[in-house]
Amino acid sequence: MNIGAVARRSGVPAKTIRYYESVGLIAAAERSAAGYRVYSQRDVETLRFVQRARSLGFSVEDVGSLLALWHDRGRSSAEVKALARRRVADIDRKIAELTEMRATLKDLMRRCHGDQRPDCPILNGLAGGRGAGG
């Protein structure tokens, strides 16, 4: 099947498929006599796997590791779990960062009157000040 058909079946845009080929996440497609990429159902399954892993926030490097483990039937599930554990730790760090950002913005908003006055604690806070005034 051609790249358009694979894109439709996998849910991965053609441009992204070409990118995944360029970084080695998927093998370069065979070429037809006319030079068009030709893909198999296995490629569709691999692209779905890659897309799902990427949607969970795994890096391209980690997706490569996950793909290698997926194809290795002799693998240890401990290796897979370790990758997932690291990803969860990354997510937890990001949640903590986002929680802090939210609290800071809410505090700045609380101190801002949001009226016609030019003094703005939000802008002062972004400029590095304490955001006094209102």
PDB file of all heavy atoms in Angstrom, residues 90-130:
ATOM      1  N   ASP A  90       8.742  11.362  34.827  1.00  0.00           N
ATOM      2  CA  ASP A  90       8.775  12.606  34.037  1.00  0.00           C
ATOM      3  C   ASP A  90       7.426  13.315  34.107  1.00  0.00           C
ATOM      4  O   ASP A  90       7.365  14.538  34.256  1.00  0.00           O
ATOM      5  CB  ASP A  90       9.100  12.310  32.565  1.00  0.00           C
ATOM      6  CG  ASP A  90      10.524  11.868  32.330  1.00  0.00           C
ATOM      7  OD1 ASP A  90      11.388  12.096  33.207  1.00  0.00           O
ATOM      8  OD2 ASP A  90      10.772  11.283  31.252  1.00  0.00           O
ATOM      9  N   ILE A  91       6.357  12.564  33.983  1.00  0.00           N
ATOM     10  CA  ILE A  91       5.012  13.146  34.050  1.00  0.00           C
ATOM     11  C   ILE A  91       4.773  13.767  35.421  1.00  0.00           C
ATOM     12  O   ILE A  91       4.245  14.877  35.526  1.00  0.00           O
ATOM     13  CB  ILE A  91       3.941  12.076  33.719  1.00  0.00           C
ATOM     14  CG1 ILE A  91       4.026  11.680  32.244  1.00  0.00           C
ATOM     15  CG2 ILE A  91       2.541  12.579  34.063  1.00  0.00           C
ATOM     16  CD1 ILE A  91       3.209  10.445  31.885  1.00  0.00           C
ATOM     17  N   ASP A  92       5.182  13.068  36.477  1.00  0.00           N
ATOM     18  CA  ASP A  92       5.011  13.605  37.830  1.00  0.00           C
ATOM     19  C   ASP A  92       5.765  14.916  37.997  1.00  0.00           C
ATOM     20  O   ASP A  92       5.250  15.860  38.614  1.00  0.00           O
ATOM     21  CB  ASP A  92       5.471  12.591  38.882  1.00  0.00           C
ATOM     22  CG  ASP A  92       4.516  11.418  39.026  1.00  0.00           C
ATOM     23  OD1 ASP A  92       3.352  11.525  38.577  1.00  0.00           O
ATOM     24  OD2 ASP A  92       4.940  10.385  39.582  1.00  0.00           O
ATOM     25  N   ARG A  93       6.989  15.011  37.451  1.00  0.00           N
ATOM     26  CA  ARG A  93       7.757  16.267  37.518  1.00  0.00           C
ATOM     27  C   ARG A  93       7.025  17.383  36.781  1.00  0.00           C
ATOM     28  O   ARG A  93       6.933  18.513  37.273  1.00  0.00           O
ATOM     29  CB  ARG A  93       9.154  16.078  36.928  1.00  0.00           C
ATOM     30  CG  ARG A  93      10.177  15.518  37.897  1.00  0.00           C
ATOM     31  CD  ARG A  93      11.598  15.584  37.342  1.00  0.00           C
ATOM     32  NE  ARG A  93      11.811  14.728  36.178  1.00  0.00           N
ATOM     33  CZ  ARG A  93      12.038  13.414  36.254  1.00  0.00           C
ATOM     34  NH1 ARG A  93      12.079  12.810  37.414  1.00  0.00           N
ATOM     35  NH2 ARG A  93      12.213  12.712  35.159  1.00  0.00           N
ATOM     36  N   LYS A  94       6.492  17.060  35.620  1.00  0.00           N
ATOM     37  CA  LYS A  94       5.775  18.078  34.843  1.00  0.00           C
ATOM     38  C   LYS A  94       4.501  18.525  35.559  1.00  0.00           C
ATOM     39  O   LYS A  94       4.164  19.706  35.538  1.00  0.00           O
ATOM     40  CB  LYS A  94       5.455  17.552  33.444  1.00  0.00           C
ATOM     41  CG  LYS A  94       6.675  17.490  32.562  1.00  0.00           C
ATOM     42  CD  LYS A  94       6.350  17.012  31.174  1.00  0.00           C
ATOM     43  CE  LYS A  94       7.633  16.922  30.367  1.00  0.00           C
ATOM     44  NZ  LYS A  94       7.402  16.509  28.994  1.00  0.00           N
ATOM     45  N   ILE A  95       3.815  17.586  36.185  1.00  0.00           N
ATOM     46  CA  ILE A  95       2.611  17.950  36.944  1.00  0.00           C
ATOM     47  C   ILE A  95       2.985  18.902  38.072  1.00  0.00           C
ATOM     48  O   ILE A  95       2.289  19.899  38.308  1.00  0.00           O
ATOM     49  CB  ILE A  95       1.891  16.698  37.479  1.00  0.00           C
ATOM     50  CG1 ILE A  95       1.223  15.946  36.323  1.00  0.00           C
ATOM     51  CG2 ILE A  95       0.869  17.063  38.554  1.00  0.00           C
ATOM     52  CD1 ILE A  95       0.675  14.578  36.702  1.00  0.00           C
ATOM     53  N   ALA A  96       4.079  18.627  38.771  1.00  0.00           N
ATOM     54  CA  ALA A  96       4.521  19.501  39.867  1.00  0.00           C
ATOM     55  C   ALA A  96       4.857  20.886  39.326  1.00  0.00           C
ATOM     56  O   ALA A  96       4.487  21.908  39.928  1.00  0.00           O
ATOM     57  CB  ALA A  96       5.722  18.896  40.585  1.00  0.00           C
ATOM     58  N   GLU A  97       5.552  20.940  38.185  1.00  0.00           N
ATOM     59  CA  GLU A  97       5.885  22.233  37.576  1.00  0.00           C
ATOM     60  C   GLU A  97       4.627  22.987  37.176  1.00  0.00           C
ATOM     61  O   GLU A  97       4.516  24.199  37.421  1.00  0.00           O
ATOM     62  CB  GLU A  97       6.780  22.027  36.350  1.00  0.00           C
ATOM     63  CG  GLU A  97       8.179  21.563  36.670  1.00  0.00           C
ATOM     64  CD  GLU A  97       8.959  21.144  35.425  1.00  0.00           C
ATOM     65  OE1 GLU A  97       8.464  21.354  34.282  1.00  0.00           O
ATOM     66  OE2 GLU A  97      10.062  20.606  35.583  1.00  0.00           O
ATOM     67  N   LEU A  98       3.682  22.300  36.556  1.00  0.00           N
ATOM     68  CA  LEU A  98       2.436  22.940  36.133  1.00  0.00           C
ATOM     69  C   LEU A  98       1.617  23.409  37.334  1.00  0.00           C
ATOM     70  O   LEU A  98       1.010  24.486  37.294  1.00  0.00           O
ATOM     71  CB  LEU A  98       1.604  21.983  35.274  1.00  0.00           C
ATOM     72  CG  LEU A  98       2.144  21.721  33.872  1.00  0.00           C
ATOM     73  CD1 LEU A  98       1.381  20.570  33.217  1.00  0.00           C
ATOM     74  CD2 LEU A  98       2.080  22.967  33.019  1.00  0.00           C
ATOM     75  N   THR A  99       1.616  22.630  38.396  1.00  0.00           N
ATOM     76  CA  THR A  99       0.901  23.017  39.611  1.00  0.00           C
ATOM     77  C   THR A  99       1.489  24.300  40.185  1.00  0.00           C
ATOM     78  O   THR A  99       0.753  25.209  40.588  1.00  0.00           O
ATOM     79  CB  THR A  99       0.944  21.878  40.644  1.00  0.00           C
ATOM     80  OG1 THR A  99       0.317  20.722  40.064  1.00  0.00           O
ATOM     81  CG2 THR A  99       0.229  22.250  41.929  1.00  0.00           C
ATOM     82  N   GLU A 100       2.806  24.393  40.199  1.00  0.00           N
ATOM     83  CA  GLU A 100       3.473  25.603  40.696  1.00  0.00           C
ATOM     84  C   GLU A 100       3.179  26.801  39.783  1.00  0.00           C
ATOM     85  O   GLU A 100       2.895  27.898  40.270  1.00  0.00           O
ATOM     86  CB  GLU A 100       4.981  25.373  40.808  1.00  0.00           C
ATOM     87  CG  GLU A 100       5.758  26.581  41.283  1.00  0.00           C
ATOM     88  CD  GLU A 100       5.352  27.061  42.674  1.00  0.00           C
ATOM     89  OE1 GLU A 100       4.952  26.232  43.509  1.00  0.00           O
ATOM     90  OE2 GLU A 100       5.432  28.285  42.913  1.00  0.00           O
ATOM     91  N   MET A 101       3.217  26.584  38.482  1.00  0.00           N
ATOM     92  CA  MET A 101       2.910  27.679  37.550  1.00  0.00           C
ATOM     93  C   MET A 101       1.477  28.159  37.751  1.00  0.00           C
ATOM     94  O   MET A 101       1.215  29.361  37.774  1.00  0.00           O
ATOM     95  CB  MET A 101       3.107  27.226  36.094  1.00  0.00           C
ATOM     96  CG  MET A 101       4.555  27.034  35.723  1.00  0.00           C
ATOM     97  SD  MET A 101       4.937  26.683  33.982  1.00  0.00           S
ATOM     98  CE  MET A 101       3.615  25.742  33.366  1.00  0.00           C
ATOM     99  N   ARG A 102       0.560  27.226  37.908  1.00  0.00           N
ATOM    100  CA  ARG A 102      -0.845  27.575  38.118  1.00  0.00           C
ATOM    101  C   ARG A 102      -1.007  28.388  39.395  1.00  0.00           C
ATOM    102  O   ARG A 102      -1.709  29.411  39.416  1.00  0.00           O
ATOM    103  CB  ARG A 102      -1.683  26.295  38.179  1.00  0.00           C
ATOM    104  CG  ARG A 102      -3.165  26.522  38.326  1.00  0.00           C
ATOM    105  CD  ARG A 102      -3.878  25.152  38.290  1.00  0.00           C
ATOM    106  NE  ARG A 102      -5.300  25.312  38.263  1.00  0.00           N
ATOM    107  CZ  ARG A 102      -6.063  25.392  39.358  1.00  0.00           C
ATOM    108  NH1 ARG A 102      -5.520  25.343  40.547  1.00  0.00           N
ATOM    109  NH2 ARG A 102      -7.365  25.528  39.241  1.00  0.00           N
ATOM    110  N   ALA A 103      -0.355  27.956  40.468  1.00  0.00           N
ATOM    111  CA  ALA A 103      -0.458  28.667  41.750  1.00  0.00           C
ATOM    112  C   ALA A 103       0.096  30.082  41.629  1.00  0.00           C
ATOM    113  O   ALA A 103      -0.491  31.029  42.146  1.00  0.00           O
ATOM    114  CB  ALA A 103       0.282  27.888  42.842  1.00  0.00           C
ATOM    115  N   THR A 104       1.211  30.233  40.939  1.00  0.00           N
ATOM    116  CA  THR A 104       1.809  31.557  40.753  1.00  0.00           C
ATOM    117  C   THR A 104       0.870  32.462  39.971  1.00  0.00           C
ATOM    118  O   THR A 104       0.638  33.618  40.357  1.00  0.00           O
ATOM    119  CB  THR A 104       3.171  31.440  40.030  1.00  0.00           C
ATOM    120  OG1 THR A 104       4.046  30.650  40.841  1.00  0.00           O
ATOM    121  CG2 THR A 104       3.787  32.799  39.771  1.00  0.00           C
ATOM    122  N   LEU A 105       0.323  31.953  38.876  1.00  0.00           N
ATOM    123  CA  LEU A 105      -0.595  32.770  38.072  1.00  0.00           C
ATOM    124  C   LEU A 105      -1.866  33.118  38.845  1.00  0.00           C
ATOM    125  O   LEU A 105      -2.357  34.251  38.770  1.00  0.00           O
ATOM    126  CB  LEU A 105      -0.939  32.045  36.775  1.00  0.00           C
ATOM    127  CG  LEU A 105       0.143  32.099  35.711  1.00  0.00           C
ATOM    128  CD1 LEU A 105      -0.200  31.166  34.550  1.00  0.00           C
ATOM    129  CD2 LEU A 105       0.330  33.520  35.208  1.00  0.00           C
ATOM    130  N   LYS A 106      -2.390  32.174  39.604  1.00  0.00           N
ATOM    131  CA  LYS A 106      -3.591  32.459  40.388  1.00  0.00           C
ATOM    132  C   LYS A 106      -3.311  33.528  41.441  1.00  0.00           C
ATOM    133  O   LYS A 106      -4.149  34.411  41.680  1.00  0.00           O
ATOM    134  CB  LYS A 106      -4.120  31.180  41.035  1.00  0.00           C
ATOM    135  CG  LYS A 106      -4.817  30.270  40.029  1.00  0.00           C
ATOM    136  CD  LYS A 106      -5.416  29.070  40.706  1.00  0.00           C
ATOM    137  CE  LYS A 106      -6.769  29.491  41.228  1.00  0.00           C
ATOM    138  NZ  LYS A 106      -7.618  28.362  41.627  1.00  0.00           N
ATOM    139  N   ASP A 107      -2.120  33.470  42.048  1.00  0.00           N
ATOM    140  CA  ASP A 107      -1.747  34.478  43.037  1.00  0.00           C
ATOM    141  C   ASP A 107      -1.646  35.851  42.371  1.00  0.00           C
ATOM    142  O   ASP A 107      -2.159  36.849  42.894  1.00  0.00           O
ATOM    143  CB  ASP A 107      -0.426  34.113  43.707  1.00  0.00           C
ATOM    144  CG  ASP A 107       0.003  35.148  44.722  1.00  0.00           C
ATOM    145  OD1 ASP A 107      -0.784  35.433  45.652  1.00  0.00           O
ATOM    146  OD2 ASP A 107       1.119  35.688  44.579  1.00  0.00           O
ATOM    147  N   LEU A 108      -1.009  35.926  41.217  1.00  0.00           N
ATOM    148  CA  LEU A 108      -0.900  37.201  40.501  1.00  0.00           C
ATOM    149  C   LEU A 108      -2.274  37.715  40.095  1.00  0.00           C
ATOM    150  O   LEU A 108      -2.557  38.914  40.209  1.00  0.00           O
ATOM    151  CB  LEU A 108       0.020  37.062  39.281  1.00  0.00           C
ATOM    152  CG  LEU A 108       1.499  36.832  39.578  1.00  0.00           C
ATOM    153  CD1 LEU A 108       2.254  36.484  38.299  1.00  0.00           C
ATOM    154  CD2 LEU A 108       2.113  38.047  40.262  1.00  0.00           C
ATOM    155  N   MET A 109      -3.126  36.826  39.633  1.00  0.00           N
ATOM    156  CA  MET A 109      -4.486  37.231  39.246  1.00  0.00           C
ATOM    157  C   MET A 109      -5.283  37.727  40.459  1.00  0.00           C
ATOM    158  O   MET A 109      -6.036  38.689  40.360  1.00  0.00           O
ATOM    159  CB  MET A 109      -5.218  36.054  38.585  1.00  0.00           C
ATOM    160  CG  MET A 109      -4.725  35.726  37.203  1.00  0.00           C
ATOM    161  SD  MET A 109      -5.374  34.174  36.518  1.00  0.00           S
ATOM    162  CE  MET A 109      -7.077  34.192  36.987  1.00  0.00           C
ATOM    163  N   ARG A 110      -5.096  37.072  41.592  1.00  0.00           N
ATOM    164  CA  ARG A 110      -5.803  37.469  42.806  1.00  0.00           C
ATOM    165  C   ARG A 110      -5.415  38.890  43.201  1.00  0.00           C
ATOM    166  O   ARG A 110      -6.254  39.673  43.650  1.00  0.00           O
ATOM    167  CB  ARG A 110      -5.473  36.488  43.938  1.00  0.00           C
ATOM    168  CG  ARG A 110      -6.165  36.791  45.260  1.00  0.00           C
ATOM    169  CD  ARG A 110      -5.662  35.914  46.399  1.00  0.00           C
ATOM    170  NE  ARG A 110      -4.222  35.887  46.539  1.00  0.00           N
ATOM    171  CZ  ARG A 110      -3.476  36.861  47.081  1.00  0.00           C
ATOM    172  NH1 ARG A 110      -4.040  37.959  47.519  1.00  0.00           N
ATOM    173  NH2 ARG A 110      -2.167  36.738  47.185  1.00  0.00           N
ATOM    174  N   ARG A 111      -4.169  39.276  43.006  1.00  0.00           N
ATOM    175  CA  ARG A 111      -3.694  40.594  43.399  1.00  0.00           C
ATOM    176  C   ARG A 111      -3.984  41.666  42.349  1.00  0.00           C
ATOM    177  O   ARG A 111      -3.820  42.843  42.606  1.00  0.00           O
ATOM    178  CB  ARG A 111      -2.199  40.543  43.698  1.00  0.00           C
ATOM    179  CG  ARG A 111      -1.945  39.717  44.978  1.00  0.00           C
ATOM    180  CD  ARG A 111      -0.527  39.801  45.455  1.00  0.00           C
ATOM    181  NE  ARG A 111       0.301  38.869  44.711  1.00  0.00           N
ATOM    182  CZ  ARG A 111       1.502  39.162  44.226  1.00  0.00           C
ATOM    183  NH1 ARG A 111       2.019  40.339  44.390  1.00  0.00           N
ATOM    184  NH2 ARG A 111       2.187  38.254  43.569  1.00  0.00           N
ATOM    185  N   CYS A 112      -4.432  41.253  41.177  1.00  0.00           N
ATOM    186  CA  CYS A 112      -4.728  42.217  40.108  1.00  0.00           C
ATOM    187  C   CYS A 112      -6.209  42.593  40.163  1.00  0.00           C
ATOM    188  O   CYS A 112      -7.078  41.724  40.177  1.00  0.00           O
ATOM    189  CB  CYS A 112      -4.401  41.596  38.748  1.00  0.00           C
ATOM    190  SG  CYS A 112      -4.741  42.702  37.364  1.00  0.00           S
ATOM    191  N   HIS A 113      -6.465  43.896  40.162  1.00  0.00           N
ATOM    192  CA  HIS A 113      -7.855  44.357  40.210  1.00  0.00           C
ATOM    193  C   HIS A 113      -8.566  44.162  38.869  1.00  0.00           C
ATOM    194  O   HIS A 113      -9.789  44.086  38.831  1.00  0.00           O
ATOM    195  CB  HIS A 113      -7.915  45.838  40.617  1.00  0.00           C
ATOM    196  CG  HIS A 113      -7.527  46.049  42.043  1.00  0.00           C
ATOM    197  ND1 HIS A 113      -8.367  45.773  43.095  1.00  0.00           N
ATOM    198  CD2 HIS A 113      -6.371  46.488  42.590  1.00  0.00           C
ATOM    199  CE1 HIS A 113      -7.759  46.030  44.229  1.00  0.00           C
ATOM    200  NE2 HIS A 113      -6.538  46.468  43.958  1.00  0.00           N
ATOM    201  N   GLY A 114      -7.816  44.101  37.785  1.00  0.00           N
ATOM    202  CA  GLY A 114      -8.434  43.902  36.478  1.00  0.00           C
ATOM    203  C   GLY A 114      -9.343  45.042  36.075  1.00  0.00           C
ATOM    204  O   GLY A 114     -10.382  44.824  35.462  1.00  0.00           O
ATOM    205  N   ASP A 115      -8.947  46.254  36.442  1.00  0.00           N
ATOM    206  CA  ASP A 115      -9.780  47.412  36.132  1.00  0.00           C
ATOM    207  C   ASP A 115      -9.021  48.356  35.200  1.00  0.00           C
ATOM    208  O   ASP A 115      -8.127  47.935  34.476  1.00  0.00           O
ATOM    209  CB  ASP A 115     -10.225  48.109  37.424  1.00  0.00           C
ATOM    210  CG  ASP A 115      -9.043  48.516  38.299  1.00  0.00           C
ATOM    211  OD1 ASP A 115      -7.901  48.587  37.776  1.00  0.00           O
ATOM    212  OD2 ASP A 115      -9.252  48.760  39.494  1.00  0.00           O
ATOM    213  N   GLN A 116      -9.360  49.614  35.239  1.00  0.00           N
ATOM    214  CA  GLN A 116      -8.774  50.603  34.335  1.00  0.00           C
ATOM    215  C   GLN A 116      -7.422  51.134  34.802  1.00  0.00           C
ATOM    216  O   GLN A 116      -6.783  51.890  34.093  1.00  0.00           O
ATOM    217  CB  GLN A 116      -9.744  51.765  34.128  1.00  0.00           C
ATOM    218  CG  GLN A 116     -11.078  51.342  33.525  1.00  0.00           C
ATOM    219  CD  GLN A 116     -10.896  50.640  32.187  1.00  0.00           C
ATOM    220  OE1 GLN A 116     -10.135  51.070  31.344  1.00  0.00           O
ATOM    221  NE2 GLN A 116     -11.590  49.519  32.003  1.00  0.00           N
ATOM    222  N   ARG A 117      -6.996  50.761  35.990  1.00  0.00           N
ATOM    223  CA  ARG A 117      -5.712  51.243  36.496  1.00  0.00           C
ATOM    224  C   ARG A 117      -4.556  50.633  35.698  1.00  0.00           C
ATOM    225  O   ARG A 117      -4.624  49.465  35.308  1.00  0.00           O
ATOM    226  CB  ARG A 117      -5.543  50.879  37.966  1.00  0.00           C
ATOM    227  CG  ARG A 117      -6.486  51.641  38.872  1.00  0.00           C
ATOM    228  CD  ARG A 117      -6.210  51.270  40.298  1.00  0.00           C
ATOM    229  NE  ARG A 117      -7.237  50.314  40.706  1.00  0.00           N
ATOM    230  CZ  ARG A 117      -7.370  49.834  41.917  1.00  0.00           C
ATOM    231  NH1 ARG A 117      -6.521  50.171  42.864  1.00  0.00           N
ATOM    232  NH2 ARG A 117      -8.329  49.003  42.209  1.00  0.00           N
ATOM    233  N   PRO A 118      -3.495  51.422  35.482  1.00  0.00           N
ATOM    234  CA  PRO A 118      -2.367  50.902  34.707  1.00  0.00           C
ATOM    235  C   PRO A 118      -1.471  49.951  35.501  1.00  0.00           C
ATOM    236  O   PRO A 118      -0.777  49.123  34.913  1.00  0.00           O
ATOM    237  CB  PRO A 118      -1.598  52.153  34.291  1.00  0.00           C
ATOM    238  CG  PRO A 118      -1.929  53.157  35.348  1.00  0.00           C
ATOM    239  CD  PRO A 118      -3.341  52.849  35.775  1.00  0.00           C
ATOM    240  N   ASP A 119      -1.461  50.064  36.822  1.00  0.00           N
ATOM    241  CA  ASP A 119      -0.610  49.199  37.632  1.00  0.00           C
ATOM    242  C   ASP A 119      -1.131  47.766  37.536  1.00  0.00           C
ATOM    243  O   ASP A 119      -2.322  47.504  37.756  1.00  0.00           O
ATOM    244  CB  ASP A 119      -0.614  49.677  39.087  1.00  0.00           C
ATOM    245  CG  ASP A 119       0.381  48.900  39.925  1.00  0.00           C
ATOM    246  OD1 ASP A 119       1.494  48.617  39.406  1.00  0.00           O
ATOM    247  OD2 ASP A 119       0.054  48.552  41.069  1.00  0.00           O
ATOM    248  N   CYS A 120      -0.239  46.839  37.216  1.00  0.00           N
ATOM    249  CA  CYS A 120      -0.679  45.457  37.013  1.00  0.00           C
ATOM    250  C   CYS A 120       0.281  44.478  37.695  1.00  0.00           C
ATOM    251  O   CYS A 120       1.406  44.304  37.246  1.00  0.00           O
ATOM    252  CB  CYS A 120      -0.769  45.150  35.526  1.00  0.00           C
ATOM    253  SG  CYS A 120      -1.336  43.461  35.185  1.00  0.00           S
ATOM    254  N   PRO A 121      -0.153  43.829  38.758  1.00  0.00           N
ATOM    255  CA  PRO A 121       0.691  42.859  39.439  1.00  0.00           C
ATOM    256  C   PRO A 121       1.115  41.692  38.539  1.00  0.00           C
ATOM    257  O   PRO A 121       2.174  41.121  38.731  1.00  0.00           O
ATOM    258  CB  PRO A 121      -0.188  42.351  40.584  1.00  0.00           C
ATOM    259  CG  PRO A 121      -1.201  43.412  40.788  1.00  0.00           C
ATOM    260  CD  PRO A 121      -1.424  44.028  39.442  1.00  0.00           C
ATOM    261  N   ILE A 122       0.297  41.345  37.570  1.00  0.00           N
ATOM    262  CA  ILE A 122       0.649  40.252  36.667  1.00  0.00           C
ATOM    263  C   ILE A 122       1.881  40.636  35.847  1.00  0.00           C
ATOM    264  O   ILE A 122       2.859  39.887  35.786  1.00  0.00           O
ATOM    265  CB  ILE A 122      -0.535  39.877  35.745  1.00  0.00           C
ATOM    266  CG1 ILE A 122      -1.719  39.373  36.583  1.00  0.00           C
ATOM    267  CG2 ILE A 122      -0.115  38.818  34.725  1.00  0.00           C
ATOM    268  CD1 ILE A 122      -3.016  39.208  35.811  1.00  0.00           C
ATOM    269  N   LEU A 123       1.839  41.827  35.240  1.00  0.00           N
ATOM    270  CA  LEU A 123       2.999  42.291  34.469  1.00  0.00           C
ATOM    271  C   LEU A 123       4.216  42.504  35.345  1.00  0.00           C
ATOM    272  O   LEU A 123       5.338  42.165  34.972  1.00  0.00           O
ATOM    273  CB  LEU A 123       2.658  43.576  33.707  1.00  0.00           C
ATOM    274  CG  LEU A 123       1.585  43.411  32.615  1.00  0.00           C
ATOM    275  CD1 LEU A 123       1.271  44.773  31.995  1.00  0.00           C
ATOM    276  CD2 LEU A 123       2.026  42.418  31.565  1.00  0.00           C
ATOM    277  N   ASN A 124       3.988  43.053  36.548  1.00  0.00           N
ATOM    278  CA  ASN A 124       5.110  43.248  37.487  1.00  0.00           C
ATOM    279  C   ASN A 124       5.732  41.904  37.860  1.00  0.00           C
ATOM    280  O   ASN A 124       6.944  41.778  37.950  1.00  0.00           O
ATOM    281  CB  ASN A 124       4.644  43.978  38.756  1.00  0.00           C
ATOM    282  CG  ASN A 124       4.261  45.414  38.467  1.00  0.00           C
ATOM    283  OD1 ASN A 124       4.611  45.977  37.436  1.00  0.00           O
ATOM    284  ND2 ASN A 124       3.498  46.002  39.384  1.00  0.00           N
ATOM    285  N   GLY A 125       4.891  40.912  38.082  1.00  0.00           N
ATOM    286  CA  GLY A 125       5.393  39.585  38.419  1.00  0.00           C
ATOM    287  C   GLY A 125       6.176  38.965  37.283  1.00  0.00           C
ATOM    288  O   GLY A 125       7.217  38.353  37.496  1.00  0.00           O
ATOM    289  N   LEU A 126       5.696  39.151  36.058  1.00  0.00           N
ATOM    290  CA  LEU A 126       6.428  38.634  34.897  1.00  0.00           C
ATOM    291  C   LEU A 126       7.762  39.348  34.711  1.00  0.00           C
ATOM    292  O   LEU A 126       8.722  38.756  34.231  1.00  0.00           O
ATOM    293  CB  LEU A 126       5.579  38.766  33.632  1.00  0.00           C
ATOM    294  CG  LEU A 126       4.334  37.883  33.584  1.00  0.00           C
ATOM    295  CD1 LEU A 126       3.484  38.231  32.362  1.00  0.00           C
ATOM    296  CD2 LEU A 126       4.704  36.412  33.585  1.00  0.00           C
ATOM    297  N   ALA A 127       7.810  40.622  35.135  1.00  0.00           N
ATOM    298  CA  ALA A 127       9.046  41.403  35.028  1.00  0.00           C
ATOM    299  C   ALA A 127      10.017  41.069  36.149  1.00  0.00           C
ATOM    300  O   ALA A 127      11.110  41.610  36.193  1.00  0.00           O
ATOM    301  CB  ALA A 127       8.726  42.887  35.019  1.00  0.00           C
ATOM    302  N   GLY A 128       9.605  40.208  37.067  1.00  0.00           N
ATOM    303  CA  GLY A 128      10.506  39.808  38.128  1.00  0.00           C
ATOM    304  C   GLY A 128      10.232  40.466  39.451  1.00  0.00           C
ATOM    305  O   GLY A 128      10.859  40.170  40.451  1.00  0.00           O
ATOM    306  N   GLY A 129       9.271  41.387  39.470  1.00  0.00           N
ATOM    307  CA  GLY A 129       8.901  42.051  40.720  1.00  0.00           C
ATOM    308  C   GLY A 129       7.936  41.220  41.520  1.00  0.00           C
ATOM    309  O   GLY A 129       7.488  40.147  41.089  1.00  0.00           O
ATOM    310  N   ARG A 130       7.588  41.690  42.624  1.00  0.00           N
ATOM    311  CA  ARG A 130       6.680  40.972  43.525  1.00  0.00           C
ATOM    312  C   ARG A 130       5.220  41.129  43.072  1.00  0.00           C
ATOM    313  O   ARG A 130       4.356  40.376  43.480  1.00  0.00           O
ATOM    314  CB  ARG A 130       6.898  41.504  44.954  1.00  0.00           C
ATOM    315  CG  ARG A 130       6.045  40.907  45.996  1.00  0.00           C
ATOM    316  CD  ARG A 130       6.402  39.474  46.308  1.00  0.00           C
ATOM    317  NE  ARG A 130       5.396  39.037  47.264  1.00  0.00           N
ATOM    318  CZ  ARG A 130       4.690  37.944  47.172  1.00  0.00           C
ATOM    319  NH1 ARG A 130       4.905  37.125  46.216  1.00  0.00           N
ATOM    320  NH2 ARG A 130       3.784  37.656  48.060  1.00  0.00           N
TER     321      ARG A 130
END
